[in-house]
């Protein structure tokens, strides 16, 4: 199965932009992603002009899916292979700019997870008995009773065979890691762990760092806005010795 609960970063967010997206060929692929494709307009125009692929939405996930499907189709004329998946994702990295952690279900073949070469958005995988899952945040595995097996590395592809649950992994691109700071500031749940970093502890440290910059400003009270600022606000108020209050 594959699911998605995030708002779109591209498009108006209507029903036509809802993820996951699906293409019938090759094999049948459904895809959902977390991130923001910055060359979305260029790729959408290219898909139509050069390949006559019509996109039915303004969501960047549909562009990502069609680029992946196009690259996989070019490598599977004689049949499916995991090598073809790795090579297709490597080609996606060469064409798609921006942040993307994606999961794709290839009908009758298996589940694919891949992360952009900079690792801007998080991705984690885990096991529970005879099941394997890939998610954008570790808490999704925690609440379902999965053992977290580790993060998908920047530029890495993970493939789970649909029949045997065998896992193959390969890092097909390597660039300097540039993790999204806003995951720690706002997006992630505080009990998540991203690339070995506790989100809650990171927010506490952000509040402590901010306190050093705020000394001498005559602050009377610290109020967290929005709710994800609570950990940072608590640390800030504690360091400054001023009251913490809800606004």
């Amino acid at each position: 199965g594959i699911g998605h609960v995030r708002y779109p970063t591209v498009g108006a967010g209507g029903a036509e932009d809802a993820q996951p997206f699906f293409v019938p060929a090759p094999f049948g692929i459904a895809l959902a992603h977390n991130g923001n494709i910055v060359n979305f307009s260029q790729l959408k125009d290219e898909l139509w002009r050069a390949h006559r692929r019509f996109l039915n939405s303004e969501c960047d996930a549909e562009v990502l899916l069609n680029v992946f499907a196009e690259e996989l189709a070019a490598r599977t004329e004689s049949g499916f292979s995991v090598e073809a998946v790795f090579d297709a994702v490597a080609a996606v990295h060469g064409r798609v700019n921006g942040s993307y952690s994606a999961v794709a279900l290839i009908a009758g073949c298996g589940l694919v997870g891949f992360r952009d070469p900079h690792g801007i958005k998080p991705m984690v995988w885990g096991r529970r008995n005879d099941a394997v899952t890939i998610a954008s945040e570790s808490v999704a595995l925690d609440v379902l009773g999965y053992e977290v097996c580790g993060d998908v590395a920047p530029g890495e592809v993970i493939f789970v065979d649909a029949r045997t649950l065998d896992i193959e992994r390969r890092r097909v691109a390597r660039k300097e890691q540039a993790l999204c700071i806003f995951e720690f500031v706002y997006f992630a749940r505080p009990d998540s762990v991203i690339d070995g970093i506790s989100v809650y502890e990171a927010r506490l440290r952000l509040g402590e760092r901010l306190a050093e910059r705020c000394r001498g400003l005559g602050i009377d009270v610290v109020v967290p806005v929005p709710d994800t600022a609570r950990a940072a606000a608590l640390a800030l108020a504690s360091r400054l010795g001023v009251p913490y209050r809800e606004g």
Side-chain angles (χ1 to χ4, degrees), residues 100-145:
Y100 50 92
S101 286
V103 285
L105 193 60
I106 305 175
C109 301
L111 183 69
V112 182
F114 58 92
R115 194 173 176 189
D116 71 76
H118 290 289
I120 298 170
K121 287 297 181 183
M123 175 168 273
V124 65
W125 72 282
R127 285 183 178 273
R128 186 187 67 186
N129 301 324
D130 60 347
V132 178
T133 192
I134 304 169
S136 60
E137 210 169 323
S138 63
V139 290
L141 278 65
D142 297 336
V143 299
L144 294 172

mmCIF file of all heavy atoms in Angstrom, residues 100-145:
data_model
loop_
_atom_site.group_PDB
_atom_site.id
_atom_site.type_symbol
_atom_site.label_atom_id
_atom_site.label_comp_id
_atom_site.label_asym_id
_atom_site.label_seq_id
_atom_site.Cartn_x
_atom_site.Cartn_y
_atom_site.Cartn_z
ATOM 1 N N TYR A 100 13.115 15.927 -2.601
ATOM 2 C CA TYR A 100 12.111 14.884 -2.784
ATOM 3 C C TYR A 100 12.541 13.600 -2.084
ATOM 4 O O TYR A 100 13.632 13.097 -2.289
ATOM 5 C CB TYR A 100 11.844 14.606 -4.277
ATOM 6 C CG TYR A 100 13.066 14.383 -5.135
ATOM 7 C CD1 TYR A 100 13.580 13.111 -5.364
ATOM 8 C CD2 TYR A 100 13.710 15.466 -5.726
ATOM 9 C CE1 TYR A 100 14.696 12.912 -6.155
ATOM 10 C CE2 TYR A 100 14.837 15.286 -6.513
ATOM 11 C CZ TYR A 100 15.323 14.011 -6.732
ATOM 12 O OH TYR A 100 16.451 13.824 -7.508
ATOM 13 N N SER A 101 11.684 13.146 -1.204
ATOM 14 C CA SER A 101 11.750 11.796 -0.663
ATOM 15 C C SER A 101 10.495 11.111 -1.174
ATOM 16 O O SER A 101 9.380 11.525 -0.844
ATOM 17 C CB SER A 101 11.782 11.812 0.861
ATOM 18 O OG SER A 101 13.038 12.232 1.333
ATOM 19 N N ALA A 102 10.671 10.068 -1.989
ATOM 20 C CA ALA A 102 9.534 9.479 -2.708
ATOM 21 C C ALA A 102 9.400 7.995 -2.423
ATOM 22 O O ALA A 102 10.398 7.297 -2.209
ATOM 23 C CB ALA A 102 9.685 9.697 -4.213
ATOM 24 N N VAL A 103 8.146 7.534 -2.404
ATOM 25 C CA VAL A 103 7.854 6.105 -2.360
ATOM 26 C C VAL A 103 7.004 5.771 -3.574
ATOM 27 O O VAL A 103 6.080 6.512 -3.921
ATOM 28 C CB VAL A 103 7.119 5.688 -1.069
ATOM 29 C CG1 VAL A 103 8.074 5.674 0.110
ATOM 30 C CG2 VAL A 103 5.931 6.590 -0.794
ATOM 31 N N ALA A 104 7.349 4.669 -4.245
ATOM 32 C CA ALA A 104 6.623 4.249 -5.443
ATOM 33 C C ALA A 104 6.309 2.770 -5.346
ATOM 34 O O ALA A 104 7.180 1.966 -4.988
ATOM 35 C CB ALA A 104 7.436 4.539 -6.699
ATOM 36 N N LEU A 105 5.080 2.412 -5.664
ATOM 37 C CA LEU A 105 4.650 1.020 -5.682
ATOM 38 C C LEU A 105 4.548 0.584 -7.138
ATOM 39 O O LEU A 105 3.759 1.153 -7.899
ATOM 40 C CB LEU A 105 3.298 0.885 -4.981
ATOM 41 C CG LEU A 105 2.816 -0.514 -4.614
ATOM 42 C CD1 LEU A 105 3.782 -1.197 -3.667
ATOM 43 C CD2 LEU A 105 1.423 -0.442 -3.986
ATOM 44 N N ILE A 106 5.380 -0.386 -7.527
ATOM 45 C CA ILE A 106 5.374 -0.893 -8.897
ATOM 46 C C ILE A 106 4.580 -2.197 -8.900
ATOM 47 O O ILE A 106 4.981 -3.175 -8.259
ATOM 48 C CB ILE A 106 6.808 -1.124 -9.415
ATOM 49 C CG1 ILE A 106 7.627 0.171 -9.285
ATOM 50 C CG2 ILE A 106 6.779 -1.589 -10.868
ATOM 51 C CD1 ILE A 106 9.088 0.004 -9.659
ATOM 52 N N ALA A 107 3.470 -2.209 -9.606
ATOM 53 C CA ALA A 107 2.527 -3.329 -9.544
ATOM 54 C C ALA A 107 3.206 -4.651 -9.879
ATOM 55 O O ALA A 107 3.883 -4.779 -10.900
ATOM 56 C CB ALA A 107 1.360 -3.082 -10.503
ATOM 57 N N GLY A 108 3.027 -5.623 -8.992
ATOM 58 C CA GLY A 108 3.564 -6.955 -9.215
ATOM 59 C C GLY A 108 5.059 -7.088 -9.021
ATOM 60 O O GLY A 108 5.611 -8.179 -9.168
ATOM 61 N N CYS A 109 5.732 -5.988 -8.707
ATOM 62 C CA CYS A 109 7.198 -6.007 -8.584
ATOM 63 C C CYS A 109 7.662 -5.683 -7.173
ATOM 64 O O CYS A 109 8.372 -6.474 -6.551
ATOM 65 C CB CYS A 109 7.811 -5.027 -9.577
ATOM 66 S SG CYS A 109 7.409 -5.381 -11.312
ATOM 67 N N GLY A 110 7.291 -4.527 -6.660
ATOM 68 C CA GLY A 110 7.727 -4.186 -5.315
ATOM 69 C C GLY A 110 7.592 -2.714 -4.993
ATOM 70 O O GLY A 110 6.979 -1.939 -5.733
ATOM 71 N N LEU A 111 8.169 -2.357 -3.868
ATOM 72 C CA LEU A 111 8.106 -0.999 -3.335
ATOM 73 C C LEU A 111 9.475 -0.351 -3.468
ATOM 74 O O LEU A 111 10.493 -0.960 -3.154
ATOM 75 C CB LEU A 111 7.687 -1.043 -1.864
ATOM 76 C CG LEU A 111 7.482 0.279 -1.140
ATOM 77 C CD1 LEU A 111 6.243 0.998 -1.684
ATOM 78 C CD2 LEU A 111 7.321 0.036 0.363
ATOM 79 N N VAL A 112 9.486 0.907 -3.931
ATOM 80 C CA VAL A 112 10.730 1.649 -4.116
ATOM 81 C C VAL A 112 10.692 2.915 -3.264
ATOM 82 O O VAL A 112 9.686 3.611 -3.230
ATOM 83 C CB VAL A 112 10.930 2.057 -5.593
ATOM 84 C CG1 VAL A 112 12.258 2.787 -5.776
ATOM 85 C CG2 VAL A 112 10.845 0.854 -6.503
ATOM 86 N N GLY A 113 11.784 3.193 -2.583
ATOM 87 C CA GLY A 113 11.936 4.464 -1.887
ATOM 88 C C GLY A 113 13.220 5.123 -2.351
ATOM 89 O O GLY A 113 14.242 4.447 -2.507
ATOM 90 N N PHE A 114 13.181 6.426 -2.603
ATOM 91 C CA PHE A 114 14.417 7.129 -2.970
ATOM 92 C C PHE A 114 14.387 8.554 -2.456
ATOM 93 O O PHE A 114 13.338 9.167 -2.298
ATOM 94 C CB PHE A 114 14.693 7.072 -4.473
ATOM 95 C CG PHE A 114 13.618 7.639 -5.369
ATOM 96 C CD1 PHE A 114 13.650 8.962 -5.770
ATOM 97 C CD2 PHE A 114 12.600 6.822 -5.839
ATOM 98 C CE1 PHE A 114 12.680 9.477 -6.627
ATOM 99 C CE2 PHE A 114 11.617 7.316 -6.696
ATOM 100 C CZ PHE A 114 11.654 8.646 -7.090
ATOM 101 N N ARG A 115 15.595 9.057 -2.182
ATOM 102 C CA ARG A 115 15.777 10.360 -1.552
ATOM 103 C C ARG A 115 16.696 11.207 -2.423
ATOM 104 O O ARG A 115 17.649 10.684 -3.012
ATOM 105 C CB ARG A 115 16.412 10.143 -0.172
ATOM 106 C CG ARG A 115 16.389 11.327 0.763
ATOM 107 C CD ARG A 115 16.906 10.897 2.128
ATOM 108 N NE ARG A 115 16.999 12.017 3.053
ATOM 109 C CZ ARG A 115 17.566 11.954 4.241
ATOM 110 N NH1 ARG A 115 18.087 10.812 4.654
ATOM 111 N NH2 ARG A 115 17.615 13.025 5.019
ATOM 112 N N ASP A 116 16.426 12.497 -2.507
ATOM 113 C CA ASP A 116 17.224 13.340 -3.388
ATOM 114 C C ASP A 116 18.697 13.337 -2.957
ATOM 115 O O ASP A 116 19.020 13.023 -1.805
ATOM 116 C CB ASP A 116 16.660 14.767 -3.427
ATOM 117 C CG ASP A 116 16.879 15.522 -2.124
ATOM 118 O OD1 ASP A 116 18.007 15.969 -1.877
ATOM 119 O OD2 ASP A 116 15.907 15.656 -1.350
ATOM 120 N N PRO A 117 19.621 13.659 -3.874
ATOM 121 C CA PRO A 117 21.056 13.531 -3.599
ATOM 122 C C PRO A 117 21.557 14.349 -2.414
ATOM 123 O O PRO A 117 22.580 14.009 -1.818
ATOM 124 C CB PRO A 117 21.710 13.997 -4.904
ATOM 125 C CG PRO A 117 20.687 13.737 -5.956
ATOM 126 C CD PRO A 117 19.372 14.004 -5.292
ATOM 127 N N HIS A 118 20.861 15.442 -2.072
ATOM 128 C CA HIS A 118 21.268 16.256 -0.924
ATOM 129 C C HIS A 118 20.612 15.787 0.376
ATOM 130 O O HIS A 118 20.962 16.287 1.451
ATOM 131 C CB HIS A 118 20.933 17.726 -1.160
ATOM 132 C CG HIS A 118 21.785 18.383 -2.204
ATOM 133 N ND1 HIS A 118 23.114 18.679 -2.009
ATOM 134 C CD2 HIS A 118 21.489 18.794 -3.460
ATOM 135 C CE1 HIS A 118 23.608 19.253 -3.095
ATOM 136 N NE2 HIS A 118 22.648 19.334 -3.997
ATOM 137 N N GLY A 119 19.640 14.881 0.286
ATOM 138 C CA GLY A 119 18.954 14.425 1.490
ATOM 139 C C GLY A 119 18.202 15.537 2.198
ATOM 140 O O GLY A 119 18.157 15.609 3.429
ATOM 141 N N ILE A 120 17.584 16.424 1.415
ATOM 142 C CA ILE A 120 16.925 17.599 1.993
ATOM 143 C C ILE A 120 15.745 17.192 2.868
ATOM 144 O O ILE A 120 15.564 17.715 3.975
ATOM 145 C CB ILE A 120 16.473 18.561 0.875
ATOM 146 C CG1 ILE A 120 17.706 19.062 0.101
ATOM 147 C CG2 ILE A 120 15.692 19.740 1.443
ATOM 148 C CD1 ILE A 120 17.375 19.833 -1.162
ATOM 149 N N LYS A 121 14.957 16.250 2.393
ATOM 150 C CA LYS A 121 13.809 15.758 3.159
ATOM 151 C C LYS A 121 14.118 14.378 3.733
ATOM 152 O O LYS A 121 14.809 13.572 3.111
ATOM 153 C CB LYS A 121 12.564 15.702 2.266
ATOM 154 C CG LYS A 121 11.997 17.077 1.940
ATOM 155 C CD LYS A 121 11.520 17.770 3.201
ATOM 156 C CE LYS A 121 10.927 19.141 2.899
ATOM 157 N NZ LYS A 121 10.526 19.834 4.139
ATOM 158 N N PRO A 122 13.607 14.076 4.931
ATOM 159 C CA PRO A 122 13.952 12.813 5.597
ATOM 160 C C PRO A 122 13.246 11.608 4.994
ATOM 161 O O PRO A 122 12.214 11.734 4.337
ATOM 162 C CB PRO A 122 13.495 13.045 7.044
ATOM 163 C CG PRO A 122 12.406 14.064 6.944
ATOM 164 C CD PRO A 122 12.771 14.942 5.784
ATOM 165 N N MET A 123 13.827 10.424 5.224
ATOM 166 C CA MET A 123 13.206 9.161 4.823
ATOM 167 C C MET A 123 13.788 8.045 5.691
ATOM 168 O O MET A 123 15.006 7.989 5.907
ATOM 169 C CB MET A 123 13.431 8.866 3.347
ATOM 170 C CG MET A 123 12.906 7.503 2.918
ATOM 171 S SD MET A 123 12.868 7.292 1.114
ATOM 172 C CE MET A 123 11.257 7.974 0.745
ATOM 173 N N VAL A 124 12.902 7.177 6.177
ATOM 174 C CA VAL A 124 13.307 6.115 7.091
ATOM 175 C C VAL A 124 12.603 4.826 6.699
ATOM 176 O O VAL A 124 11.543 4.854 6.072
ATOM 177 C CB VAL A 124 12.963 6.524 8.549
ATOM 178 C CG1 VAL A 124 11.460 6.633 8.757
ATOM 179 C CG2 VAL A 124 13.589 5.578 9.559
ATOM 180 N N TRP A 125 13.198 3.676 7.052
ATOM 181 C CA TRP A 125 12.552 2.408 6.740
ATOM 182 C C TRP A 125 12.630 1.485 7.945
ATOM 183 O O TRP A 125 13.485 1.651 8.823
ATOM 184 C CB TRP A 125 13.168 1.753 5.509
ATOM 185 C CG TRP A 125 14.536 1.176 5.697
ATOM 186 C CD1 TRP A 125 15.723 1.855 5.729
ATOM 187 C CD2 TRP A 125 14.855 -0.211 5.880
ATOM 188 N NE1 TRP A 125 16.759 0.990 5.911
ATOM 189 C CE2 TRP A 125 16.276 -0.289 6.001
ATOM 190 C CE3 TRP A 125 14.116 -1.385 5.929
ATOM 191 C CZ2 TRP A 125 16.934 -1.499 6.188
ATOM 192 C CZ3 TRP A 125 14.775 -2.590 6.104
ATOM 193 C CH2 TRP A 125 16.156 -2.639 6.236
ATOM 194 N N GLY A 126 11.696 0.512 8.005
ATOM 195 C CA GLY A 126 11.677 -0.394 9.140
ATOM 196 C C GLY A 126 10.931 -1.679 8.842
ATOM 197 O O GLY A 126 10.322 -1.835 7.782
ATOM 198 N N ARG A 127 10.971 -2.600 9.819
ATOM 199 C CA ARG A 127 10.343 -3.924 9.679
ATOM 200 C C ARG A 127 9.433 -4.214 10.864
ATOM 201 O O ARG A 127 9.663 -3.729 11.983
ATOM 202 C CB ARG A 127 11.412 -5.021 9.622
ATOM 203 C CG ARG A 127 12.185 -5.139 8.329
ATOM 204 C CD ARG A 127 13.141 -6.318 8.424
ATOM 205 N NE ARG A 127 13.898 -6.551 7.202
ATOM 206 C CZ ARG A 127 13.471 -7.300 6.191
ATOM 207 N NH1 ARG A 127 12.286 -7.880 6.256
ATOM 208 N NH2 ARG A 127 14.224 -7.475 5.120
ATOM 209 N N ARG A 128 8.427 -5.034 10.599
ATOM 210 C CA ARG A 128 7.588 -5.605 11.655
ATOM 211 C C ARG A 128 7.156 -6.984 11.193
ATOM 212 O O ARG A 128 6.350 -7.108 10.266
ATOM 213 C CB ARG A 128 6.363 -4.733 11.926
ATOM 214 C CG ARG A 128 5.535 -5.206 13.126
ATOM 215 C CD ARG A 128 4.257 -4.422 13.255
ATOM 216 N NE ARG A 128 3.342 -4.695 12.140
ATOM 217 C CZ ARG A 128 2.196 -4.059 11.927
ATOM 218 N NH1 ARG A 128 1.834 -3.063 12.717
ATOM 219 N NH2 ARG A 128 1.429 -4.379 10.901
ATOM 220 N N ASN A 129 7.727 -8.020 11.809
ATOM 221 C CA ASN A 129 7.443 -9.397 11.406
ATOM 222 C C ASN A 129 7.705 -9.575 9.910
ATOM 223 O O ASN A 129 8.820 -9.422 9.455
ATOM 224 C CB ASN A 129 6.011 -9.783 11.797
ATOM 225 C CG ASN A 129 5.785 -9.668 13.293
ATOM 226 O OD1 ASN A 129 6.682 -9.952 14.086
ATOM 227 N ND2 ASN A 129 4.585 -9.251 13.704
ATOM 228 N N ASP A 130 6.647 -9.860 9.135
ATOM 229 C CA ASP A 130 6.831 -10.097 7.701
ATOM 230 C C ASP A 130 6.427 -8.878 6.871
ATOM 231 O O ASP A 130 5.989 -9.012 5.731
ATOM 232 C CB ASP A 130 6.029 -11.328 7.252
ATOM 233 C CG ASP A 130 4.542 -11.161 7.501
ATOM 234 O OD1 ASP A 130 4.159 -10.222 8.238
ATOM 235 O OD2 ASP A 130 3.758 -11.972 6.970
ATOM 236 N N ALA A 131 6.587 -7.696 7.438
ATOM 237 C CA ALA A 131 6.219 -6.478 6.713
ATOM 238 C C ALA A 131 7.383 -5.492 6.714
ATOM 239 O O ALA A 131 8.173 -5.440 7.655
ATOM 240 C CB ALA A 131 4.989 -5.833 7.354
ATOM 241 N N VAL A 132 7.473 -4.724 5.638
ATOM 242 C CA VAL A 132 8.485 -3.674 5.504
ATOM 243 C C VAL A 132 7.776 -2.379 5.149
ATOM 244 O O VAL A 132 6.826 -2.388 4.352
ATOM 245 C CB VAL A 132 9.518 -4.016 4.404
ATOM 246 C CG1 VAL A 132 10.539 -2.896 4.253
ATOM 247 C CG2 VAL A 132 10.220 -5.332 4.709
ATOM 248 N N THR A 133 8.209 -1.275 5.717
ATOM 249 C CA THR A 133 7.601 0.008 5.379
ATOM 250 C C THR A 133 8.672 1.076 5.205
ATOM 251 O O THR A 133 9.753 0.988 5.780
ATOM 252 C CB THR A 133 6.588 0.457 6.451
ATOM 253 O OG1 THR A 133 5.824 1.555 5.958
ATOM 254 C CG2 THR A 133 7.277 0.875 7.732
ATOM 255 N N ILE A 134 8.338 2.058 4.386
ATOM 256 C CA ILE A 134 9.199 3.218 4.149
ATOM 257 C C ILE A 134 8.351 4.457 4.419
ATOM 258 O O ILE A 134 7.221 4.545 3.937
ATOM 259 C CB ILE A 134 9.723 3.244 2.702
ATOM 260 C CG1 ILE A 134 10.465 1.946 2.364
ATOM 261 C CG2 ILE A 134 10.632 4.441 2.474
ATOM 262 C CD1 ILE A 134 10.787 1.795 0.881
ATOM 263 N N ALA A 135 8.876 5.403 5.195
ATOM 264 C CA ALA A 135 8.080 6.570 5.573
ATOM 265 C C ALA A 135 8.954 7.822 5.607
ATOM 266 O O ALA A 135 10.180 7.747 5.622
ATOM 267 C CB ALA A 135 7.432 6.351 6.941
ATOM 268 N N SER A 136 8.297 8.970 5.646
ATOM 269 C CA SER A 136 9.019 10.235 5.661
ATOM 270 C C SER A 136 9.398 10.656 7.077
ATOM 271 O O SER A 136 10.139 11.634 7.247
ATOM 272 C CB SER A 136 8.171 11.341 5.011
ATOM 273 O OG SER A 136 6.958 11.502 5.725
ATOM 274 N N GLU A 137 8.914 9.940 8.104
ATOM 275 C CA GLU A 137 9.209 10.336 9.479
ATOM 276 C C GLU A 137 9.175 9.106 10.379
ATOM 277 O O GLU A 137 8.313 8.239 10.232
ATOM 278 C CB GLU A 137 8.173 11.367 9.944
ATOM 279 C CG GLU A 137 8.713 12.348 10.952
ATOM 280 C CD GLU A 137 7.763 13.516 11.212
ATOM 281 O OE1 GLU A 137 7.099 13.975 10.255
ATOM 282 O OE2 GLU A 137 7.687 13.942 12.373
ATOM 283 N N SER A 138 10.103 9.030 11.329
ATOM 284 C CA SER A 138 10.252 7.832 12.152
ATOM 285 C C SER A 138 9.033 7.539 13.015
ATOM 286 O O SER A 138 8.760 6.382 13.341
ATOM 287 C CB SER A 138 11.496 7.951 13.035
ATOM 288 O OG SER A 138 11.375 9.026 13.950
ATOM 289 N N VAL A 139 8.265 8.574 13.390
ATOM 290 C CA VAL A 139 7.102 8.333 14.261
ATOM 291 C C VAL A 139 6.042 7.479 13.565
ATOM 292 O O VAL A 139 5.278 6.781 14.233
ATOM 293 C CB VAL A 139 6.465 9.655 14.730
ATOM 294 C CG1 VAL A 139 7.361 10.367 15.715
ATOM 295 C CG2 VAL A 139 6.132 10.562 13.557
ATOM 296 N N ALA A 140 5.996 7.522 12.226
ATOM 297 C CA ALA A 140 5.024 6.689 11.508
ATOM 298 C C ALA A 140 5.295 5.212 11.776
ATOM 299 O O ALA A 140 4.371 4.400 11.858
ATOM 300 C CB ALA A 140 5.092 6.979 10.009
ATOM 301 N N LEU A 141 6.561 4.851 11.931
ATOM 302 C CA LEU A 141 6.923 3.475 12.237
ATOM 303 C C LEU A 141 6.691 3.164 13.708
ATOM 304 O O LEU A 141 6.212 2.082 14.060
ATOM 305 C CB LEU A 141 8.391 3.220 11.876
ATOM 306 C CG LEU A 141 8.704 2.914 10.407
ATOM 307 C CD1 LEU A 141 8.401 4.097 9.511
ATOM 308 C CD2 LEU A 141 10.160 2.504 10.258
ATOM 309 N N ASP A 142 7.007 4.133 14.573
ATOM 310 C CA ASP A 142 6.860 3.927 16.018
ATOM 311 C C ASP A 142 5.429 3.573 16.405
ATOM 312 O O ASP A 142 5.191 2.612 17.131
ATOM 313 C CB ASP A 142 7.295 5.179 16.789
ATOM 314 C CG ASP A 142 8.770 5.506 16.595
ATOM 315 O OD1 ASP A 142 9.537 4.583 16.265
ATOM 316 O OD2 ASP A 142 9.137 6.674 16.785
ATOM 317 N N VAL A 143 4.473 4.357 15.902
ATOM 318 C CA VAL A 143 3.082 4.168 16.324
ATOM 319 C C VAL A 143 2.479 2.882 15.774
ATOM 320 O O VAL A 143 1.487 2.386 16.297
ATOM 321 C CB VAL A 143 2.200 5.377 15.930
ATOM 322 C CG1 VAL A 143 2.706 6.643 16.602
ATOM 323 C CG2 VAL A 143 2.139 5.559 14.422
ATOM 324 N N LEU A 144 3.087 2.313 14.715
ATOM 325 C CA LEU A 144 2.593 1.069 14.122
ATOM 326 C C LEU A 144 3.357 -0.157 14.621
ATOM 327 O O LEU A 144 3.104 -1.274 14.173
ATOM 328 C CB LEU A 144 2.682 1.149 12.595
ATOM 329 C CG LEU A 144 1.774 2.186 11.930
ATOM 330 C CD1 LEU A 144 2.099 2.298 10.449
ATOM 331 C CD2 LEU A 144 0.312 1.834 12.129
ATOM 332 N N GLY A 145 4.288 0.062 15.553
ATOM 333 C CA GLY A 145 5.004 -1.056 16.129
ATOM 334 C C GLY A 145 6.118 -1.613 15.263
ATOM 335 O O GLY A 145 6.531 -2.761 15.446
#
